[in-house]
Amino acid sequence: MLKKEVKKRKPFQLVKGMRDILPEEQRYWDFTRDLIDRVAKSYGFSRIDTPVLEFSDLFVRAVGTSTDIVEKEMYSFVDQGEDNLALRPEGTAAVGRAYIEHGMLNLPQPVKLYYFEPMFRRDRPQAGRYRQHYQFGFEVIGEPDAIIDAQLILIASKIYQAINLPVNIQINSIGCPSCRPDFENELKDYLKKQKSKLSEVSQARLLKNPMRVLDSKEKEDLPIIAEAPQQIDFLCEDCRNHFTQVLEYLDDLGVPYALNPTIVRGLDYYTKTTFEIWSGADEAGSPSSEAGRQSALGGGGRYDGLLELLGGNPTPASGFACGVERFIAQIKETDAKVPEKPKPEIFLGQLGPEARKKAIVLFEELQQAGIRVAENFAKSGLKPQLEMADKLGVKFTIILGQKEIIDDTVMIRDMENGIQEVVDFHKAVTEIKKRLEKSVVSDQ
Ligand code: AMP
């Protein structure tokens, strides 16, 4: 009978814009998580994890309808219970929701929270842009003072310093609801006169949200943006004082910054201070420098109106968020020391089914004694096991063969000189510990 030909199935592939974080990448992720945890705790921040799913309206209201995120990038859908849900595109709105929902206003203020979470945006796929990417973010809720903004900027700079990456802060103030409308009118008048020279995207933004034209990355818009009226000339007294204080604190702290009137951050919820973190020791070219804009490592600012917008009491707040993938890409370019995965110290080899039975138990005892041990129980021949032990660079291999099973012993092989010694099975752990300690002393 003819064998029926089975057609090979096309293997599944990643969804566009998604990526796997493979084992060899994990040490960079561990390093980054550890660093963020350490820095956050040293400044009195507590970790918060919010769910990946929220009601779509949370982001629509917080981020604003005339933003790229809400207009075209949010993964939103109606679930089986007719709820309109969205995959979280950014962290601040969710943290604000949690602050209100859990009555954190009853805690001593300000409340300092940090997160390290995946975000989802149906962004245009391109190098360094993913549809699921991670951000670490720091939020301080419940304090209006400029000192908070300055300390957040300092923390962001220090995180990059820890990987030997010089950064500079591009900073601006976008005022508050009392002084922004005057500026917006002036800006609108100016941009209307230049309309025909603006890119298509900016022409559309001009109608809906003229401030967002300042955020444009289109080449033809840059000279127009460079000549545009600036918010800092329109700040009310309160906003001007606040901004001056932030800059004075940064001067005192020695944090390099450049005033950049085009940093408006594109999200509706910002007030007063807005900033981006750019790589480079100085101000990385002019404020409208294309390279700088494209390579923003992170950004943030004050959002005094957000909590009220989400249904809470009027509560001042400030924060920032940075992209983890971009952070890791920078680690690979700097000479930051990222610890290697700890290597095994010994290998446990076995020959035959009886030996295997004993080996799996001995493996546990070695682990419990704090010894880093490797094995390959899937292999039955000694040669491939010794080859693996060699490749791993272990100092000793314990061998459990048929003879050792009969004698209730193990063989300890010194991988450096090939000398083998027979030891009582029940003393194997203490003997190997002794040898490892001795070899550490002789390595020093
Ligand atoms: P944003 O809230 O858009 O300023 O994002 C904060 C930071 O997250 C940016 O400065 C980037 O470092 C990073 N980021 C934003 N969108 C993406 C993306 N699609 N892929 C990778 N990283 C991103």
Side-chain angles (χ1 to χ4, degrees):
M1 207 167 79
L2 268 179
K3 216 172 153 194
K4 213 168 141 198
E5 206 172 291
V6 184
K7 210 172 152 210
K8 193 165 183 283
R9 290 212 171 104
K10 195 172 164 243
F12 281 107
Q13 289 185 329
L14 278 168
V15 172
K16 202 172 187 174
M18 303 283 152
R19 68 193 281 258
D20 297 313
I21 306 171
L22 295 172
E24 58 267 27
E25 281 281 297
Q26 294 292 345
R27 70 187 178 110
Y28 295 103
W29 288 79
D30 289 346
F31 170 84
T32 308
R33 274 192 211 99
D34 287 351
L35 173 67
I36 301 307
D37 283 344
R38 214 173 46 241
V39 173
K41 284 180 182 138
S42 72
Y43 284 91
F45 284 73
S46 304
R47 172 145 178 163
I48 184 162
D49 289 284
T50 60
V52 162
L53 279 181
E54 298 271 359
F55 289 111
S56 302
D57 268 353
L58 171 68
F59 303 111
V60 173
R61 212 180 303 164
V63 178
T65 42
S66 60
T67 56
D68 284 350
I69 290 183
V70 168
E71 230 171 23
K72 40 186 191 201
E73 294 173 0
M74 199 154 75
Y75 283 97
S76 48
F77 62 96
V78 179
D79 80 351
Q80 294 85 335
E82 302 289 300
D83 281 327
N84 213 322
L85 306 178
L87 291 178
R88 176 187 53 216
E90 62 98 48
T92 305
V95 171
R97 193 253 324 125
Y99 175 94
I100 299 166
E101 192 159 359
H102 301 287
M104 292 192 211
L105 83 169
N106 298 316
L107 298 174
Q109 303 294 298
V111 174
K112 297 175 170 187
L113 301 168
Y114 78 103
Y115 58 83
F116 192 111
E117 293 176 331
M119 306 296 164
F120 302 84
R121 298 180 188 175
R122 207 170 183 287
D123 222 331
R124 249 185 302 161
Q126 50 185 299
R129 290 218 156 253
Y130 306 101
R131 290 179 171 177
Q132 174 178 340
H133 73 276
Y134 284 74
Q135 290 184 10
F136 56 83
F138 287 64
E139 316 283 359
V140 178
I141 307 180
E143 175 55 54
D145 201 281
I147 198 165
I148 299 293
D149 305 13
Q151 199 180 35
L152 281 163
I153 291 171
L154 173 75
I155 294 172
S157 315
K158 276 183 82 167
I159 289 171
Y160 290 91
Q161 249 172 38
I163 57 162
N164 306 329
L165 182 75
V167 292
N168 68 90
I169 305 299
Q170 302 282 314
I171 192 167
N172 188 26
S173 172
I174 58 163
C176 66
S178 83
C179 58
R180 199 179 308 150
D182 285 347
F183 166 64
E184 274 181 317
N185 287 335
E186 187 82 10
L187 179 67
K188 214 175 194 168
D189 287 347
Y190 166 80
L191 292 174
K192 267 188 191 157
K193 287 186 200 134
Q194 313 282 337
K195 193 173 170 196
S196 59
K197 286 187 256 164
L198 285 171
S199 66
E200 223 171 280
V201 192
S202 289
Q203 290 194 14
R205 282 179 180 170
L206 174 56
L207 297 173
K208 289 196 216 157
N209 188 348
M211 294 257 297
R212 295 237 28 235
V213 174
L214 298 176
D215 207 20
S216 164
K217 277 135 189 109
E218 306 296 322
K219 253 198 189 115
E220 60 261 55
D221 296 335
L222 299 184
I224 300 167
I225 294 168
E227 296 297 317
Q230 303 187 355
Q231 171 78 65
I232 41 173
D233 297 328
F234 291 79
L235 294 180
C236 60
E237 204 185 336
D238 179 38
C239 288
R240 194 170 333 114
N241 286 340
H242 185 97
F243 194 44
T244 312
Q245 282 172 25
V246 174
L247 301 183
E248 281 171 1
Y249 283 123
L250 294 181
D251 287 334
D252 290 346
L253 291 165
V255 174
Y257 62 84
L259 298 181
N260 185 337
T262 70
I263 302 293
V264 293
R265 300 284 303 131
L267 310 186
D268 281 2
Y269 58 61
Y270 284 108
T271 49
K272 294 184 175 160
T273 320
T274 48
F275 63 92
E276 281 186 2
I277 302 139
W278 288 12
S279 68
D282 50 38
E283 80 269 28
S286 71
S288 51
S289 138
E290 209 189 329
R293 288 180 154 236
Q294 299 288 4
S295 68
L297 300 166
R302 181 157 279 284
Y303 48 94
D304 289 346
L306 178 68
L307 279 279
E308 198 179 2
L309 199 66
L310 300 182
N313 293 338
T315 313
S318 195
F320 73 86
C322 298
V324 177
E325 286 79 0
R326 283 185 205 182
F327 186 81
I328 288 176
Q330 295 294 340
I331 298 180
K332 291 177 181 169
E333 286 187 16
T334 65
D335 55 356
K337 296 262 172 301
V338 177
E340 302 267 353
K341 208 170 114 203
K343 286 198 170 125
E345 299 163 290
I346 68 162
F347 188 89
L348 177 57
Q350 37 67 42
L351 266 171
E354 284 309 310
R356 261 197 210 187
K357 270 193 192 160
K358 267 184 125 170
I360 192 169
V361 175
L362 181 56
F363 186 88
E364 289 309 300
E365 287 171 12
L366 289 161
Q367 283 230 356
Q368 268 167 22
I371 298 167
R372 292 193 304 276
V373 49
E375 47 71 27
N376 191 343
F377 293 153
K379 292 264 184 285
S380 49
L382 192 57
K383 197 164 167 250
Q385 293 187 63
L386 284 178
E387 276 169 8
M388 186 172 167
D390 233 7
K391 225 188 239 162
L392 289 170
V394 295
K395 293 204 148 99
F396 301 97
T397 295
I398 297 182
I399 302 164
L400 267 166
Q402 273 136 13
K403 184 163 184 333
E404 285 77 24
I405 295 299
I406 295 166
D407 298 346
D408 204 18
T409 56
V410 300
M411 175 111 77
I412 297 181
R413 180 187 171 96
D414 185 324
M415 297 300 281
E416 219 160 85
N417 53 24
I419 296 174
Q420 307 196 136
E421 242 179 286
V422 176
V423 172
D424 186 298
F425 179 85
H426 304 281
K427 290 194 184 135
V429 177
T430 33
E431 280 299 322
I432 203 85
K433 245 188 151 169
K434 243 195 258 166
R435 281 171 172 72
L436 282 171
E437 275 158 21
K438 232 198 251 165
S439 78
V440 170
V441 175
S442 67
D443 278 355
Q444 282 167 355

